[in-house]
Amino acid sequence: LKKQDDPLTKNLLGHDAGACRILISDAKTRKIYSGGSDGRILAWTYRNNQWSSEILVDKRSNYLVYSLD
């Protein structure tokens, strides 16, 4: 994948105040959702050969986002 410059090998930058703790994919919407130790929740969409993010929940102090699965 890396040799073919596949988008799966590129970083999803958006959790700038901490690590991404969870990634969830939704086959219906074809989006990826991420939550991090910065309390931020992002929805990721792949268009025009690049990933773009939409902030669903902005940075919060004293919040961590984890998955129950």
Side-chain angles (χ1 to χ4, degrees):
L1 292 175
K2 202 166 199 172
K3 289 180 184 177
Q4 297 173 1
D5 198 30
D6 191 281
L8 290 175
T9 64
K10 298 182 186 293
N11 290 333
L12 300 178
L13 300 175
H15 295 282
D16 55 350
C20 177
R21 300 289 180 182
I22 182 67
L23 284 175
I24 297 175
S25 61
D26 185 339
K28 281 186 178 181
T29 62
R30 302 187 71 187
K31 290 187 178 189
I32 295 173
Y33 298 90
S34 64
S37 58
D38 55 2
R40 188 180 268 182
I41 299 173
L42 304 172
W44 296 91
T45 306
Y46 187 71
R47 284 191 209 115
N48 300 323
N49 207 28
Q50 67 181 7
W51 287 98
S52 61
S53 65
E54 171 190 358
I55 298 172
L56 300 179
V57 176
D58 209 351
K59 295 179 195 174
R60 300 174 288 173
S61 61
N62 300 324
Y63 283 91
L64 299 176
V65 178
Y66 291 98
S67 170
L68 296 176
D69 286 344

